[in-house]
Short mmCIF file of all heavy atoms in Angstrom, two decimals:
data_model
loop_
_atom_site.label_atom_id
_atom_site.label_comp_id
_atom_site.label_asym_id
_atom_site.label_seq_id
_atom_site.Cartn_x
_atom_site.Cartn_y
_atom_site.Cartn_z
N GLN A 1 17.16 -10.21 1.93
CA GLN A 1 15.67 -10.35 2.35
C GLN A 1 15.34 -9.02 3.05
O GLN A 1 16.10 -8.55 3.90
CB GLN A 1 15.64 -11.52 3.22
CG GLN A 1 14.18 -11.69 3.76
CD GLN A 1 14.00 -12.99 4.62
OE1 GLN A 1 14.89 -13.88 4.53
NE2 GLN A 1 12.98 -13.02 5.32
N LEU A 2 14.18 -8.58 2.66
CA LEU A 2 13.68 -7.31 3.34
C LEU A 2 12.72 -7.62 4.45
O LEU A 2 12.07 -8.75 4.44
CB LEU A 2 12.90 -6.46 2.29
CG LEU A 2 13.59 -5.98 1.11
CD1 LEU A 2 12.62 -5.29 0.19
CD2 LEU A 2 14.73 -4.93 1.49
N THR A 3 12.52 -6.75 5.42
CA THR A 3 11.56 -6.92 6.39
C THR A 3 10.24 -6.48 5.71
O THR A 3 10.23 -5.83 4.72
CB THR A 3 11.82 -5.96 7.64
OG1 THR A 3 11.71 -4.63 7.13
CG2 THR A 3 13.14 -6.30 8.24
N PRO A 4 9.11 -6.80 6.34
CA PRO A 4 7.79 -6.33 5.74
C PRO A 4 7.80 -4.84 5.65
O PRO A 4 7.25 -4.36 4.69
CB PRO A 4 6.82 -6.89 6.76
CG PRO A 4 7.42 -8.24 7.26
CD PRO A 4 8.84 -7.80 7.38
N TYR A 5 8.22 -4.15 6.68
CA TYR A 5 8.25 -2.67 6.66
C TYR A 5 9.11 -2.16 5.43
O TYR A 5 8.66 -1.23 4.71
CB TYR A 5 8.68 -2.17 8.00
CG TYR A 5 8.74 -0.65 8.05
CD1 TYR A 5 7.56 0.08 8.09
CD2 TYR A 5 9.92 0.08 8.03
CE1 TYR A 5 7.51 1.43 8.14
CE2 TYR A 5 9.92 1.46 8.04
CZ TYR A 5 8.69 2.19 8.14
OH TYR A 5 8.66 3.48 8.12
N GLU A 6 10.27 -2.76 5.21
CA GLU A 6 11.08 -2.34 4.15
C GLU A 6 10.43 -2.61 2.81
O GLU A 6 10.56 -1.79 1.88
CB GLU A 6 12.47 -3.00 4.22
CG GLU A 6 13.29 -2.58 5.41
CD GLU A 6 14.51 -3.51 5.64
OE1 GLU A 6 14.53 -4.67 5.30
OE2 GLU A 6 15.53 -3.03 6.09
N GLY A 7 9.76 -3.71 2.74
CA GLY A 7 9.02 -4.08 1.51
C GLY A 7 7.93 -3.11 1.24
O GLY A 7 7.77 -2.66 0.02
N LEU A 8 7.15 -2.71 2.15
CA LEU A 8 6.11 -1.75 2.05
C LEU A 8 6.68 -0.32 1.61
O LEU A 8 6.22 0.27 0.68
CB LEU A 8 5.23 -1.48 3.32
CG LEU A 8 4.32 -2.67 3.61
CD1 LEU A 8 3.67 -2.50 5.00
CD2 LEU A 8 3.21 -2.76 2.59
N LYS A 9 7.72 0.07 2.18
CA LYS A 9 8.33 1.28 1.80
C LYS A 9 8.86 1.25 0.40
O LYS A 9 8.83 2.21 -0.39
CB LYS A 9 9.53 1.68 2.77
CG LYS A 9 9.02 2.27 4.07
CD LYS A 9 10.28 2.64 4.95
CE LYS A 9 11.00 3.74 4.36
NZ LYS A 9 12.15 4.23 5.19
N ALA A 10 9.43 0.04 -0.06
CA ALA A 10 9.95 -0.01 -1.37
C ALA A 10 8.90 0.11 -2.40
O ALA A 10 9.27 0.66 -3.54
CB ALA A 10 10.63 -1.44 -1.58
N ILE A 11 7.70 -0.21 -2.19
CA ILE A 11 6.56 -0.11 -3.24
C ILE A 11 5.76 1.15 -3.00
O ILE A 11 4.76 1.33 -3.74
CB ILE A 11 5.83 -1.39 -3.26
CG1 ILE A 11 5.09 -1.63 -2.02
CG2 ILE A 11 6.59 -2.51 -3.73
CD1 ILE A 11 4.07 -2.74 -2.11
N THR A 12 6.04 1.95 -1.95
CA THR A 12 5.28 3.10 -1.72
C THR A 12 6.11 4.36 -1.75
O THR A 12 6.42 4.92 -2.82
CB THR A 12 4.47 3.05 -0.33
OG1 THR A 12 5.38 2.77 0.69
CG2 THR A 12 3.52 1.94 -0.41
N ILE A 13 6.63 4.81 -0.66
CA ILE A 13 7.30 6.06 -0.57
C ILE A 13 8.65 6.10 -1.40
O ILE A 13 9.03 7.09 -2.02
CB ILE A 13 7.55 6.53 0.94
CG1 ILE A 13 7.98 7.96 0.97
CG2 ILE A 13 8.43 5.62 1.67
CD1 ILE A 13 6.90 8.95 0.77
N ASN A 14 9.36 4.92 -1.27
CA ASN A 14 10.61 4.86 -2.06
C ASN A 14 10.40 4.81 -3.56
O ASN A 14 11.14 5.44 -4.27
CB ASN A 14 11.44 3.65 -1.60
CG ASN A 14 11.99 3.68 -0.10
OD1 ASN A 14 11.81 4.79 0.43
ND2 ASN A 14 12.48 2.67 0.40
N ALA A 15 9.45 4.18 -4.05
CA ALA A 15 9.01 4.12 -5.49
C ALA A 15 8.65 5.52 -5.98
O ALA A 15 9.05 5.96 -7.01
CB ALA A 15 7.92 3.10 -5.70
N ALA A 16 7.86 6.20 -5.15
CA ALA A 16 7.44 7.63 -5.45
C ALA A 16 8.69 8.45 -5.62
O ALA A 16 8.84 9.28 -6.57
CB ALA A 16 6.45 8.12 -4.52
N TYR A 17 9.65 8.27 -4.70
CA TYR A 17 10.85 9.09 -4.64
C TYR A 17 11.68 8.81 -5.95
O TYR A 17 12.14 9.77 -6.54
CB TYR A 17 11.69 8.80 -3.45
CG TYR A 17 13.01 9.52 -3.41
CD1 TYR A 17 13.11 10.84 -3.08
CD2 TYR A 17 14.17 8.84 -3.70
CE1 TYR A 17 14.29 11.49 -3.01
CE2 TYR A 17 15.39 9.43 -3.72
CZ TYR A 17 15.44 10.82 -3.41
OH TYR A 17 16.66 11.53 -3.34
N GLN A 18 11.78 7.55 -6.30
CA GLN A 18 12.56 7.20 -7.47
C GLN A 18 11.96 7.85 -8.82
O GLN A 18 12.73 8.11 -9.75
CB GLN A 18 12.56 5.67 -7.73
CG GLN A 18 13.43 4.94 -6.62
CD GLN A 18 13.38 3.49 -6.90
OE1 GLN A 18 12.36 2.92 -7.25
NE2 GLN A 18 14.49 2.78 -6.58
N HIS A 19 10.70 7.99 -8.85
CA HIS A 19 10.12 8.58 -9.95
C HIS A 19 9.85 10.10 -9.80
O HIS A 19 9.11 10.73 -10.64
CB HIS A 19 8.67 7.87 -10.20
CG HIS A 19 8.88 6.47 -10.71
ND1 HIS A 19 9.21 6.16 -11.95
CD2 HIS A 19 8.84 5.32 -10.00
CE1 HIS A 19 9.32 4.78 -11.99
NE2 HIS A 19 9.06 4.29 -10.86
N LYS A 20 10.44 10.74 -8.74
CA LYS A 20 10.32 12.11 -8.48
C LYS A 20 8.84 12.50 -8.41
O LYS A 20 8.41 13.59 -8.79
CB LYS A 20 11.02 12.93 -9.62
CG LYS A 20 12.49 12.69 -9.56
CD LYS A 20 13.18 13.53 -10.60
CE LYS A 20 14.64 13.55 -10.54
NZ LYS A 20 15.42 12.28 -10.71
N GLN A 21 8.03 11.69 -7.61
CA GLN A 21 6.63 11.98 -7.49
C GLN A 21 6.24 11.89 -6.03
O GLN A 21 5.01 11.75 -5.73
CB GLN A 21 5.84 10.94 -8.23
CG GLN A 21 5.95 11.06 -9.82
CD GLN A 21 5.08 10.11 -10.51
OE1 GLN A 21 4.80 8.97 -10.10
NE2 GLN A 21 4.62 10.51 -11.66
N GLU A 22 7.16 11.99 -5.16
CA GLU A 22 6.92 11.92 -3.71
C GLU A 22 5.98 13.03 -3.27
O GLU A 22 5.32 12.91 -2.14
CB GLU A 22 8.23 11.86 -2.84
CG GLU A 22 9.04 13.10 -2.95
CD GLU A 22 10.01 13.15 -4.06
OE1 GLU A 22 9.90 12.41 -5.01
OE2 GLU A 22 11.07 13.87 -3.88
N ASP A 23 5.87 14.13 -3.99
CA ASP A 23 4.91 15.20 -3.61
C ASP A 23 3.45 14.79 -3.93
O ASP A 23 2.50 15.41 -3.52
CB ASP A 23 5.32 16.48 -4.32
CG ASP A 23 5.31 16.41 -5.79
OD1 ASP A 23 5.78 15.39 -6.34
OD2 ASP A 23 5.05 17.50 -6.48
N LEU A 24 3.24 13.79 -4.83
CA LEU A 24 1.93 13.28 -5.29
C LEU A 24 1.61 11.96 -4.75
O LEU A 24 0.36 11.64 -4.66
CB LEU A 24 1.87 13.24 -6.77
CG LEU A 24 2.06 14.50 -7.49
CD1 LEU A 24 2.14 14.24 -8.99
CD2 LEU A 24 0.86 15.49 -7.29
N LYS A 25 2.53 11.13 -4.53
CA LYS A 25 2.28 9.66 -4.18
C LYS A 25 3.21 9.19 -3.04
O LYS A 25 4.20 9.85 -2.69
CB LYS A 25 2.53 8.75 -5.39
CG LYS A 25 1.78 9.13 -6.64
CD LYS A 25 2.18 8.27 -7.86
CE LYS A 25 1.38 8.55 -9.09
NZ LYS A 25 1.83 7.75 -10.19
N GLY A 26 2.93 7.98 -2.58
CA GLY A 26 3.86 7.26 -1.73
C GLY A 26 3.50 7.29 -0.29
O GLY A 26 3.92 6.43 0.48
N SER A 27 2.69 8.16 0.09
CA SER A 27 2.25 8.20 1.51
C SER A 27 0.84 8.85 1.56
O SER A 27 0.48 9.47 0.63
CB SER A 27 3.23 9.05 2.44
OG SER A 27 3.35 10.38 1.94
N ILE A 28 0.17 8.65 2.71
CA ILE A 28 -1.17 9.24 2.82
C ILE A 28 -0.97 10.56 3.47
O ILE A 28 -0.54 10.64 4.63
CB ILE A 28 -2.05 8.31 3.67
CG1 ILE A 28 -2.21 6.93 2.94
CG2 ILE A 28 -3.40 8.88 3.91
CD1 ILE A 28 -2.87 5.86 3.80
N LYS A 29 -1.29 11.62 2.85
CA LYS A 29 -1.23 12.99 3.19
C LYS A 29 -2.29 13.85 2.44
O LYS A 29 -2.49 13.53 1.25
CB LYS A 29 0.25 13.43 2.94
CG LYS A 29 0.68 14.63 3.86
CD LYS A 29 2.19 14.73 3.47
CE LYS A 29 2.86 15.30 4.72
NZ LYS A 29 4.23 15.55 4.46
N VAL A 30 -2.66 14.97 3.06
CA VAL A 30 -3.61 15.83 2.34
C VAL A 30 -2.97 16.35 1.12
O VAL A 30 -1.76 16.70 1.16
CB VAL A 30 -4.01 17.04 3.34
CG1 VAL A 30 -4.81 18.03 2.55
CG2 VAL A 30 -4.84 16.52 4.49
N GLY A 31 -3.65 16.27 -0.03
CA GLY A 31 -3.24 16.82 -1.33
C GLY A 31 -2.58 15.76 -2.13
O GLY A 31 -2.23 16.03 -3.30
N LYS A 32 -2.24 14.58 -1.61
CA LYS A 32 -1.64 13.50 -2.41
C LYS A 32 -2.81 12.67 -3.01
O LYS A 32 -3.93 12.63 -2.50
CB LYS A 32 -0.73 12.66 -1.59
CG LYS A 32 0.55 13.36 -1.16
CD LYS A 32 1.53 12.39 -0.53
CE LYS A 32 2.83 13.08 -0.27
NZ LYS A 32 3.82 12.08 0.08
N LEU A 33 -2.47 11.91 -4.09
CA LEU A 33 -3.42 10.99 -4.74
C LEU A 33 -3.74 9.93 -3.67
O LEU A 33 -2.89 9.42 -2.99
CB LEU A 33 -2.87 10.35 -5.91
CG LEU A 33 -2.54 11.35 -7.04
CD1 LEU A 33 -1.83 10.56 -8.24
CD2 LEU A 33 -3.81 11.97 -7.60
N ALA A 34 -5.05 9.58 -3.55
CA ALA A 34 -5.54 8.59 -2.64
C ALA A 34 -5.54 7.24 -3.28
O ALA A 34 -6.62 6.77 -3.59
CB ALA A 34 -6.87 9.03 -2.04
N ASP A 35 -4.50 6.63 -3.49
CA ASP A 35 -4.44 5.29 -4.11
C ASP A 35 -3.88 4.35 -2.98
O ASP A 35 -2.71 4.46 -2.55
CB ASP A 35 -3.44 5.21 -5.26
CG ASP A 35 -3.92 6.06 -6.42
OD1 ASP A 35 -5.00 6.60 -6.39
OD2 ASP A 35 -3.09 6.16 -7.33
N PHE A 36 -4.75 3.46 -2.47
CA PHE A 36 -4.27 2.52 -1.45
C PHE A 36 -5.24 1.35 -1.41
O PHE A 36 -6.28 1.40 -1.99
CB PHE A 36 -4.16 3.21 -0.10
CG PHE A 36 -5.43 3.84 0.40
CD1 PHE A 36 -6.31 3.20 1.28
CD2 PHE A 36 -5.83 5.16 0.06
CE1 PHE A 36 -7.39 3.68 1.80
CE2 PHE A 36 -6.92 5.77 0.51
CZ PHE A 36 -7.73 5.04 1.34
N VAL A 37 -4.86 0.37 -0.58
CA VAL A 37 -5.70 -0.82 -0.32
C VAL A 37 -5.94 -0.97 1.16
O VAL A 37 -5.17 -0.48 1.94
CB VAL A 37 -5.10 -2.09 -0.84
CG1 VAL A 37 -4.92 -2.16 -2.37
CG2 VAL A 37 -3.76 -2.47 -0.18
N ILE A 38 -7.09 -1.56 1.47
CA ILE A 38 -7.34 -1.92 2.89
C ILE A 38 -7.29 -3.43 2.91
O ILE A 38 -7.92 -4.17 2.14
CB ILE A 38 -8.87 -1.46 3.23
CG1 ILE A 38 -8.97 0.06 3.10
CG2 ILE A 38 -9.18 -2.03 4.61
CD1 ILE A 38 -10.32 0.67 3.31
N LEU A 39 -6.43 -3.90 3.80
CA LEU A 39 -6.07 -5.33 3.99
C LEU A 39 -6.79 -5.89 5.11
O LEU A 39 -7.20 -5.25 6.04
CB LEU A 39 -4.62 -5.43 4.16
CG LEU A 39 -3.71 -4.85 3.10
CD1 LEU A 39 -2.22 -5.03 3.43
CD2 LEU A 39 -3.96 -5.63 1.73
N GLY A 40 -7.09 -7.19 5.10
CA GLY A 40 -7.74 -7.92 6.10
C GLY A 40 -6.84 -8.19 7.36
O GLY A 40 -7.34 -8.50 8.40
N GLU A 41 -5.50 -7.92 7.27
CA GLU A 41 -4.56 -8.14 8.42
C GLU A 41 -3.50 -7.19 8.23
O GLU A 41 -3.28 -6.70 7.13
CB GLU A 41 -4.10 -9.52 8.56
CG GLU A 41 -5.13 -10.61 8.83
CD GLU A 41 -4.50 -11.90 9.02
OE1 GLU A 41 -3.82 -12.15 9.91
OE2 GLU A 41 -4.87 -12.82 8.19
N ASN A 42 -2.79 -6.90 9.28
CA ASN A 42 -1.62 -5.98 9.21
C ASN A 42 -0.39 -6.76 8.69
O ASN A 42 0.11 -7.65 9.46
CB ASN A 42 -1.43 -5.40 10.72
CG ASN A 42 -0.27 -4.35 10.68
OD1 ASN A 42 0.53 -4.28 9.80
ND2 ASN A 42 -0.31 -3.53 11.68
N PRO A 43 0.17 -6.38 7.63
CA PRO A 43 1.39 -7.08 7.17
C PRO A 43 2.61 -6.90 8.03
O PRO A 43 3.62 -7.70 7.86
CB PRO A 43 1.62 -6.57 5.68
CG PRO A 43 0.90 -5.26 5.71
CD PRO A 43 -0.20 -5.42 6.61
N LEU A 44 2.55 -5.96 8.86
CA LEU A 44 3.73 -5.63 9.80
C LEU A 44 3.63 -6.52 11.02
O LEU A 44 4.73 -6.69 11.74
CB LEU A 44 3.77 -4.27 10.19
CG LEU A 44 3.86 -3.20 9.03
CD1 LEU A 44 3.88 -1.81 9.59
CD2 LEU A 44 5.10 -3.45 8.16
N THR A 45 2.50 -7.23 11.28
CA THR A 45 2.38 -7.94 12.54
C THR A 45 2.12 -9.45 12.32
O THR A 45 2.34 -10.27 13.18
CB THR A 45 1.29 -7.41 13.41
OG1 THR A 45 0.05 -7.46 12.72
CG2 THR A 45 1.61 -5.96 13.90
N VAL A 46 1.76 -9.90 11.14
CA VAL A 46 1.51 -11.34 10.84
C VAL A 46 2.82 -11.99 10.52
O VAL A 46 3.81 -11.28 10.17
CB VAL A 46 0.49 -11.59 9.72
CG1 VAL A 46 -0.83 -11.00 9.98
CG2 VAL A 46 1.01 -11.03 8.47
N ASP A 47 2.86 -13.25 10.62
CA ASP A 47 4.10 -14.04 10.29
C ASP A 47 4.39 -13.78 8.86
O ASP A 47 3.48 -13.73 7.98
CB ASP A 47 3.77 -15.49 10.52
CG ASP A 47 5.02 -16.34 10.26
OD1 ASP A 47 5.84 -16.49 11.21
OD2 ASP A 47 5.07 -16.83 9.16
N SER A 48 5.64 -13.50 8.51
CA SER A 48 5.98 -13.08 7.13
C SER A 48 5.63 -14.20 6.12
O SER A 48 5.38 -13.76 5.00
CB SER A 48 7.51 -12.79 7.05
OG SER A 48 8.41 -13.92 7.42
N ASP A 49 5.50 -15.43 6.53
CA ASP A 49 5.14 -16.48 5.62
C ASP A 49 3.72 -16.37 5.16
O ASP A 49 3.21 -16.93 4.22
CB ASP A 49 5.40 -17.85 6.19
CG ASP A 49 6.93 -18.16 6.24
OD1 ASP A 49 7.69 -17.58 5.55
OD2 ASP A 49 7.31 -19.02 7.12
N LYS A 50 2.90 -15.59 5.97
CA LYS A 50 1.44 -15.50 5.74
C LYS A 50 1.08 -14.20 5.00
O LYS A 50 -0.10 -14.02 4.70
CB LYS A 50 0.73 -15.61 7.07
CG LYS A 50 1.05 -16.78 7.89
CD LYS A 50 -0.16 -17.69 8.10
CE LYS A 50 0.19 -18.77 9.07
NZ LYS A 50 0.14 -20.03 8.49
N ILE A 51 1.97 -13.33 4.77
CA ILE A 51 1.68 -12.06 4.15
C ILE A 51 0.96 -12.26 2.75
O ILE A 51 -0.02 -11.57 2.48
CB ILE A 51 2.90 -11.14 4.01
CG1 ILE A 51 3.44 -10.65 5.30
CG2 ILE A 51 2.68 -10.01 3.00
CD1 ILE A 51 4.69 -10.05 5.24
N LYS A 52 1.45 -13.20 2.03
CA LYS A 52 0.80 -13.48 0.67
C LYS A 52 -0.58 -13.96 0.80
O LYS A 52 -1.37 -13.88 -0.16
CB LYS A 52 1.68 -14.62 0.00
CG LYS A 52 1.62 -16.03 0.64
CD LYS A 52 2.38 -16.93 -0.14
CE LYS A 52 2.47 -18.34 0.40
NZ LYS A 52 1.73 -18.73 1.59
N ASP A 53 -1.10 -14.38 1.95
CA ASP A 53 -2.39 -14.83 2.18
C ASP A 53 -3.33 -13.78 2.68
O ASP A 53 -4.59 -14.08 2.88
CB ASP A 53 -2.45 -15.98 3.09
CG ASP A 53 -1.67 -17.17 2.60
OD1 ASP A 53 -1.69 -17.45 1.36
OD2 ASP A 53 -0.90 -17.82 3.44
N ILE A 54 -2.85 -12.51 2.94
CA ILE A 54 -3.70 -11.50 3.51
C ILE A 54 -4.69 -11.03 2.47
O ILE A 54 -4.29 -10.67 1.24
CB ILE A 54 -2.86 -10.25 3.93
CG1 ILE A 54 -1.97 -10.66 5.08
CG2 ILE A 54 -3.80 -9.09 4.39
CD1 ILE A 54 -0.97 -9.55 5.52
N PRO A 55 -6.02 -11.07 2.74
CA PRO A 55 -6.98 -10.71 1.81
C PRO A 55 -7.01 -9.21 1.50
O PRO A 55 -6.90 -8.44 2.50
CB PRO A 55 -8.33 -11.17 2.33
CG PRO A 55 -8.12 -11.22 3.76
CD PRO A 55 -6.58 -11.54 3.97
N VAL A 56 -7.19 -8.71 0.31
CA VAL A 56 -7.53 -7.34 -0.05
C VAL A 56 -9.01 -7.07 0.14
O VAL A 56 -9.83 -7.77 -0.46
CB VAL A 56 -7.06 -7.01 -1.43
CG1 VAL A 56 -7.41 -5.63 -1.78
CG2 VAL A 56 -5.56 -7.23 -1.56
N LEU A 57 -9.45 -6.17 1.05
CA LEU A 57 -10.79 -5.96 1.29
C LEU A 57 -11.33 -4.88 0.40
O LEU A 57 -12.55 -4.83 -0.05
CB LEU A 57 -11.02 -5.63 2.78
CG LEU A 57 -10.49 -6.62 3.87
CD1 LEU A 57 -10.76 -6.08 5.19
CD2 LEU A 57 -11.24 -7.95 3.62
N GLU A 58 -10.54 -3.83 0.19
CA GLU A 58 -10.97 -2.74 -0.71
C GLU A 58 -9.73 -2.10 -1.37
O GLU A 58 -8.64 -1.98 -0.81
CB GLU A 58 -11.72 -1.75 0.16
CG GLU A 58 -12.39 -0.67 -0.59
CD GLU A 58 -13.26 0.13 0.23
OE1 GLU A 58 -13.50 -0.14 1.43
OE2 GLU A 58 -13.84 1.21 -0.34
N THR A 59 -9.93 -1.60 -2.62
CA THR A 59 -8.83 -0.90 -3.34
C THR A 59 -9.47 0.48 -3.79
O THR A 59 -10.50 0.55 -4.24
CB THR A 59 -8.50 -1.65 -4.64
OG1 THR A 59 -7.99 -2.86 -4.29
CG2 THR A 59 -7.40 -0.89 -5.35
N ILE A 60 -8.74 1.45 -3.41
CA ILE A 60 -9.15 2.91 -3.64
C ILE A 60 -8.13 3.54 -4.60
O ILE A 60 -6.98 3.45 -4.35
CB ILE A 60 -9.29 3.76 -2.36
CG1 ILE A 60 -10.45 3.19 -1.51
CG2 ILE A 60 -9.49 5.18 -2.65
CD1 ILE A 60 -10.17 2.78 -0.10
N LYS A 61 -8.58 4.09 -5.65
CA LYS A 61 -7.76 4.76 -6.71
C LYS A 61 -8.29 6.15 -6.87
O LYS A 61 -9.50 6.31 -7.17
CB LYS A 61 -7.81 3.83 -8.08
CG LYS A 61 -7.11 4.57 -9.14
CD LYS A 61 -5.76 3.89 -9.39
CE LYS A 61 -5.15 4.55 -10.56
NZ LYS A 61 -3.85 5.03 -10.40
N GLU A 62 -7.38 7.09 -6.72
CA GLU A 62 -7.79 8.57 -6.86
C GLU A 62 -9.04 8.88 -6.02
O GLU A 62 -9.95 9.64 -6.38
CB GLU A 62 -7.90 8.89 -8.36
CG GLU A 62 -6.63 8.71 -9.04
CD GLU A 62 -6.80 9.04 -10.61
OE1 GLU A 62 -7.81 9.41 -11.08
OE2 GLU A 62 -5.71 8.80 -11.25
N GLY A 63 -9.05 8.35 -4.88
CA GLY A 63 -10.18 8.65 -3.93
C GLY A 63 -11.50 7.90 -4.17
O GLY A 63 -12.45 8.00 -3.44
N LYS A 64 -11.47 6.99 -5.19
CA LYS A 64 -12.74 6.23 -5.38
C LYS A 64 -12.50 4.64 -5.28
O LYS A 64 -11.50 4.20 -5.69
CB LYS A 64 -13.25 6.51 -6.87
CG LYS A 64 -13.55 7.92 -7.04
CD LYS A 64 -14.12 8.21 -8.51
CE LYS A 64 -14.42 9.63 -8.65
NZ LYS A 64 -14.66 10.08 -9.93
N THR A 65 -13.42 4.01 -4.68
CA THR A 65 -13.46 2.59 -4.51
C THR A 65 -13.52 2.00 -5.94
O THR A 65 -14.47 2.20 -6.66
CB THR A 65 -14.51 2.12 -3.60
OG1 THR A 65 -14.30 2.63 -2.26
CG2 THR A 65 -14.44 0.56 -3.51
N ILE A 66 -12.57 1.14 -6.24
CA ILE A 66 -12.57 0.41 -7.54
C ILE A 66 -12.73 -1.06 -7.33
O ILE A 66 -13.12 -1.80 -8.26
CB ILE A 66 -11.39 0.72 -8.47
CG1 ILE A 66 -10.10 0.27 -7.83
CG2 ILE A 66 -11.39 2.18 -8.87
CD1 ILE A 66 -8.85 0.39 -8.73
N TYR A 67 -12.63 -1.50 -6.15
CA TYR A 67 -12.80 -2.94 -5.76
C TYR A 67 -13.24 -3.03 -4.26
O TYR A 67 -12.66 -2.32 -3.45
CB TYR A 67 -11.51 -3.83 -5.96
CG TYR A 67 -11.68 -5.12 -5.33
CD1 TYR A 67 -12.36 -6.21 -5.96
CD2 TYR A 67 -11.14 -5.47 -4.11
CE1 TYR A 67 -12.58 -7.39 -5.33
CE2 TYR A 67 -11.29 -6.73 -3.48
CZ TYR A 67 -12.04 -7.68 -4.13
OH TYR A 67 -12.11 -8.96 -3.58
N LYS A 68 -14.27 -3.69 -3.94
CA LYS A 68 -14.64 -4.03 -2.64
C LYS A 68 -15.05 -5.47 -2.51
O LYS A 68 -15.83 -5.97 -3.21
CB LYS A 68 -15.71 -3.07 -2.17
CG LYS A 68 -16.04 -3.10 -0.71
CD LYS A 68 -16.80 -2.00 -0.28
CE LYS A 68 -16.94 -1.91 1.19
NZ LYS A 68 -17.51 -0.63 1.72
N LYS A 69 -14.34 -6.19 -1.63
CA LYS A 69 -14.65 -7.63 -1.50
C LYS A 69 -16.22 -7.77 -1.16
O LYS A 69 -16.66 -7.17 -0.30
CB LYS A 69 -13.84 -8.22 -0.37
CG LYS A 69 -13.91 -9.73 -0.25
CD LYS A 69 -12.90 -10.30 0.66
CE LYS A 69 -13.05 -11.80 0.64
NZ LYS A 69 -11.87 -12.44 1.31
N GLY A 70 -16.80 -8.70 -1.84
CA GLY A 70 -18.17 -9.00 -1.53
C GLY A 70 -19.17 -8.19 -2.35
O GLY A 70 -20.33 -8.27 -2.22
N LYS A 71 -18.66 -7.28 -3.18
CA LYS A 71 -19.55 -6.52 -4.05
C LYS A 71 -19.22 -6.77 -5.49
O LYS A 71 -18.30 -7.14 -5.96
CB LYS A 71 -19.39 -5.03 -3.69
CG LYS A 71 -19.97 -4.64 -2.38
CD LYS A 71 -20.17 -3.24 -2.33
CE LYS A 71 -20.98 -2.99 -1.07
NZ LYS A 71 -21.54 -1.73 -0.93
#
């Protein structure tokens, strides 16, 4: 079983490293692709059983909003 932090790293920075793309993806940094989501709650602080219920408020791909809740 992973902690929420380990799970986030597994699908972000660690996945980018596995694909040799850590210079382009995996973390938020100037010059990297801006692909990320804005969540309704912090997955690192909510009860781990509730992570699956956290709403996605916005999805940004390559710096552009492709989904925004309520729009």
